[in-house]
Amino acid sequence: MATFIDSDILKTVTPGSVQLLLTCGYGQPIYTSVYLKKIDGSIEKIKEFEGNGSYLHLKNSSELQFNRLEIHSTIHDIRDFAVGQEVVDIKLYEKVFCNDAFVDMEISMKTKGTGQIINCIYEVVIL
Amino acid sequence: MKKYFSFLFLIFLFLLSQAQSDTIPDIKNISLDILKTPSNPAFIIMSTSPVEIAEPTTPTEFYISIQNASNNFTSLPNNYGFTVAPFWWTKSGKELNFNKDFSTRNKIYFWRYLRLSVGMVKGVDDNEDLWRYGFGFQTNIFSGKVQKKKKERYLNALRSCHNNYYQLRIDFYKKYPLYSKIENEVNSILERLKAANNSDSLLAEELSRTLKLKQQLEELLLKQFELEKGMAEDSLSVNTMFSDLEKRIGFKWDIGAGISNSIENRWIDSSDVNRFGVWTNFGWVIPISKSGAYLSILGLTRILAYEDAVYQYNDTSFYKEYLGVYDFGAQIKFEFNSKFSFLVEGVYRMYSDERTVSTFKVNSMAQYKFNPNQIVFVSFGNEFNNNNDQGPQRIQLNIGVSLGIGNNIGVNFY
């Protein structure tokens, strides 16, 4: 079990859809939940999905402004590459974007053996 | 407020680092049980594989084979080989999707399962100075499909692990008032920014700083959380379910080709093509019980060309520059459970020259997985005759062990 954590601020200008692109490489299984952390302290799960996600609509920027999104992904490490092949065996890319801006994060790592559970928490403040 | 938080955070950071300085989370001992007995195409072309008909599998990314077929196990292994899958070196490997790779539909692939292998046999044809090198490739066209129910069970286990982690993490954070304070502080800044219509640059900077502070605090809390919780049971459940997922059913079909060279006394100028050929394995894997028993029915077609073949016919022998060999075989395999399997195979061989007599090979193999990623197997059968005696002459017994190294790197000792 290992966890990675990151945060960013997404500055929206024009109203529109806030979307998520999530890619977990090397065929590693991944499960993701997206939580909306509201300004009043309440938390609401707005999306839950297995596998990669491309251009997933989360909510409109007007609904998200001054709130936070927490994207929690769990990766099961089922692959291990030998010396001479890949230097990493987990690669996760997440991008949250709207009409005018985007924020992103990437994790690349080499693990020992297989079978580990890796969690990644990405918090995005929408302004 | 900012100074208050920074001060508290420093105290917290110090206390937490003291608490965890002597322990490191152990995540190295978790392992998947996914090792199989692989077929090395280079060994197939050199006729040193323990089985003639190999079920098309989804192989590990890299494996090494070390083999010692006979000699009463008194000598060092004399056959070595390794196989690699070049798919993983390309962009396709980076972009591979789990759902595509573990599909519940049987799809055609070629590049995904292509593997290249090199093998070496020392001391062939009763000549210690004669070495043989084999180069081969093999790929699956149909790999079978993942069982839908098993995939659902696995994904449910992964989802459960994911949700448990989230809930336990939130409950753990609640034990630390500093976390709640910093969360409230972020919300407070956001409220003020909202009131200022997002036009206060100082507030935006304060938000950025507080977020960084919050991230550092969470990183520390998470280290402590992982030390305390471990989530070992969840990891075990997910790993067990995944190991079950590895067995694919339905129609399977692979193709392979290879060439072997003989070299005497390791002199390159003595290098000579020994044989080359193409082959295909195909068949069905059918689940026969809910407890994990499977029946496999497989077929083989193989065309080989021997260069400089010497064939014994009664008391005389004849030489042929290129002798074609056509093999047709069938195999039936029972996997009684995840630990024990047994197979019987027969291959009928015909030659391209009229002066030859067709021959056959019958082989059986029992395999037992005594521990995860640790397999012992025994194979028993005859070799093909290179003379006009149709019946079995040379009976061979192989005992081998396959040991997983780093799980996806398998080493096989025959």
Side-chain angles (χ1 to χ4, degrees):
Chain A
M1 184 73 67
T3 307
F4 294 87
I5 192 156
D6 198 5
S7 60
D8 269 316
I9 299 171
L10 178 71
K11 290 173 183 165
T12 63
V13 181
T14 52
S17 168
V18 174
Q19 296 180 42
L20 169 69
L21 174 74
L22 183 146
T23 314
C24 186
Y26 304 113
Q28 303 274 27
I30 183 167
Y31 202 91
T32 302
S33 295
V34 183
Y35 296 90
L36 171 60
K37 295 171 88 173
K38 290 183 183 169
I39 204 165
D40 60 7
S42 63
I43 299 172
E44 178 197 343
K45 190 188 272 191
I46 57 169
K47 198 140 267 193
E48 188 174 4
F49 60 97
E50 180 269 320
N52 294 347
S54 56
Y55 306 103
L56 293 174
H57 168 72
L58 300 176
K59 270 183 186 295
N60 286 327
S61 56
S62 55
E63 293 172 89
L64 293 175
Q65 207 174 16
F66 305 109
N67 292 302
R68 287 176 283 162
L69 291 170
E70 187 181 281
I71 304 157
H72 171 210
S73 297
T74 302
I75 304 166
H76 186 204
D77 178 22
I78 59 165
R79 300 206 183 280
D80 195 22
F81 296 97
V83 177
Q85 291 202 302
E86 284 298 331
V87 289
V88 297
D89 41 32
I90 289 180
K91 199 175 183 78
L92 173 67
Y93 179 71
E94 291 180 11
K95 180 179 173 182
V96 178
F97 58 100
C98 58
N99 285 341
D100 357 81
F102 76 89
V103 288
D104 62 358
M105 57 110 33
E106 187 174 279
I107 293 170
S108 287
M109 67 183 293
K110 176 81 189 151
T111 55
K112 285 190 174 180
T114 51
Q116 292 171 35
I117 304 285
I118 290 119
N119 283 282
C120 175
I121 296 151
Y122 186 36
E123 188 172 273
V124 179
V125 179
I126 314 289
L127 289 183
Chain B
M1 182 64 84
K2 190 175 69 186
K3 282 179 184 170
Y4 166 73
F5 264 109
S6 300
F7 177 67
L8 269 179
F9 181 71
L10 283 172
I11 294 172
F12 185 81
L13 197 139
F14 172 74
L15 290 173
L16 206 61
S17 62
Q18 290 297 302
Q20 64 184 20
S21 60
D22 58 347
T23 35
I24 299 163
D26 184 10
I27 53 171
K28 295 172 193 165
N29 295 330
I30 304 164
S31 63
L32 295 173
D33 178 18
I34 53 177
L35 188 71
K36 302 176 192 85
T37 308
S39 64
N40 184 327
F43 282 172
I44 288 172
I45 195 69
M46 294 189 295
S47 289
T48 52
S49 179
V51 287
E52 291 289 331
I53 305 167
E55 179 187 325
T57 56
T58 49
T60 54
E61 281 67 45
F62 178 92
Y63 58 80
I64 303 165
S65 304
I66 301 169
Q67 178 170 333
N68 191 17
S70 60
N71 218 8
N72 298 319
F73 311 102
T74 54
S75 61
L76 287 170
N78 61 357
N79 298 5
Y80 306 89
F82 70 89
T83 299
V84 292
F87 172 82
W88 298 106
W89 292 330
T90 65
K91 200 180 167 195
S92 317
K94 291 182 184 73
E95 291 174 353
L96 183 69
N97 174 309
F98 172 75
N99 276 319
K100 190 179 173 189
D101 203 27
F102 285 80
S103 176
T104 52
R105 289 168 62 197
N106 205 353
K107 293 177 182 171
I108 295 176
Y109 292 109
F110 186 87
W111 170 233
R112 164 68 183 88
Y113 294 111
L114 178 68
R115 50 228 191 249
L116 306 173
S117 72
V118 177
M120 185 273 288
V121 186
K122 183 190 164 201
V124 290
D125 295 341
D126 300 323
N127 180 356
E128 272 303 304
D129 294 327
L130 190 63
W131 294 46
R132 193 163 286 162
Y133 296 88
F135 305 93
F137 89 86
Q138 196 152 359
T139 190
N140 297 359
I141 297 171
F142 283 101
S143 300
K145 58 184 180 183
V146 168
Q147 293 172 79
K148 204 173 178 180
K149 277 187 181 171
K150 289 194 172 179
K151 188 171 176 181
E152 280 170 6
R153 273 176 50 202
Y154 167 71
L155 291 176
N156 284 339
L158 184 63
R159 184 177 61 199
S160 168
C161 178
H162 169 85
N163 289 334
N164 281 351
Y165 179 89
Y166 179 81
Q167 197 52 53
L168 287 170
R169 179 172 67 95
I170 297 301
D171 292 346
F172 183 83
Y173 283 177
K174 282 178 186 166
K175 291 196 295 185
Y176 294 87
L178 186 60
Y179 177 80
S180 303
K181 280 185 177 144
I182 206 162
E183 270 280 308
N184 292 339
E185 178 63 15
V186 171
N187 285 334
S188 162
I189 297 168
L190 284 169
E191 267 179 10
R192 281 181 278 153
L193 266 169
K194 191 178 179 181
N197 204 19
N198 205 8
S199 58
D200 190 332
S201 58
L202 286 174
L203 269 177
E205 278 176 28
E206 193 182 337
L207 176 69
S208 187
R209 277 196 305 270
T210 313
L211 279 175
K212 273 186 189 163
L213 213 60
K214 180 176 165 287
Q215 187 181 321
Q216 286 174 310
L217 171 66
E218 276 197 80
E219 278 168 2
L220 283 166
L221 286 173
L222 283 169
K223 280 182 186 166
Q224 191 64 26
F225 168 73
E226 279 154 17
L227 280 173
E228 283 184 25
K229 302 292 176 190
M231 310 279 292
E233 279 180 25
D234 278 7
S235 300
L236 188 66
S237 162
V238 171
N239 284 333
T240 307
M241 301 283 177
F242 180 76
S243 297
D244 284 350
L245 206 65
E246 281 282 287
K247 184 70 192 175
R248 294 173 194 236
I249 59 166
F251 182 63
K252 296 186 175 190
W253 179 22
D254 73 9
I255 54 168
I259 185 167
S260 74
N261 265 40
S262 298
I263 296 181
E264 197 156 7
N265 278 327
R266 286 174 283 170
W267 292 108
I268 298 296
D269 56 5
S270 70
S271 172
D272 194 16
V273 172
N274 169 252
R275 74 170 102 162
F276 52 91
V278 293
W279 61 87
T280 180
N281 297 295
F282 50 90
W284 281 265
V285 177
I286 306 152
I288 50 174
S289 85
K290 285 181 182 173
S291 59
Y294 296 92
L295 169 69
S296 308
I297 300 162
L298 302 170
L300 160 78
T301 303
R302 186 165 55 191
I303 301 169
L304 301 173
Y306 286 70
E307 200 193 23
D308 301 329
V310 177
Y311 192 86
Q312 190 79 28
Y313 195 92
N314 293 335
D315 295 332
T316 59
S317 60
F318 68 85
Y319 167 81
K320 186 156 174 65
E321 193 173 357
Y322 281 101
L323 180 65
V325 167
Y326 311 106
D327 289 341
F328 304 95
Q331 183 191 86
I332 187 158
K333 180 180 172 187
F334 289 98
E335 285 177 66
F336 298 94
N337 48 47
S338 60
K339 286 185 176 294
F340 182 65
S341 68
F342 178 77
L343 68 87
V344 180
E345 62 182 8
V347 180
Y348 186 73
R349 172 165 289 186
M350 295 189 299
Y351 294 96
S352 61
D353 194 285
E354 289 173 354
R355 292 168 290 177
T356 58
V357 175
S358 301
T359 183
F360 65 91
K361 176 176 180 174
V362 178
N363 190 38
S364 61
M365 186 165 92
Q367 182 174 289
Y368 184 72
K369 187 178 278 187
F370 55 96
N371 267 321
N373 296 318
Q374 295 175 349
I375 297 166
V376 62
F377 57 89
V378 180
S379 73
F380 178 77
N382 68 298
E383 274 298 303
F384 288 113
N385 295 339
N386 54 354
N387 55 40
N388 65 325
D389 186 343
Q390 201 177 31
Q393 285 181 324
R394 293 174 295 165
I395 309 292
Q396 197 171 44
L397 174 72
N398 286 311
I399 299 174
V401 181
S402 294
L403 300 172
I405 294 179
N407 295 310
N408 276 16
I409 308 172
V411 176
N412 304 281
F413 301 93
Y414 308 162

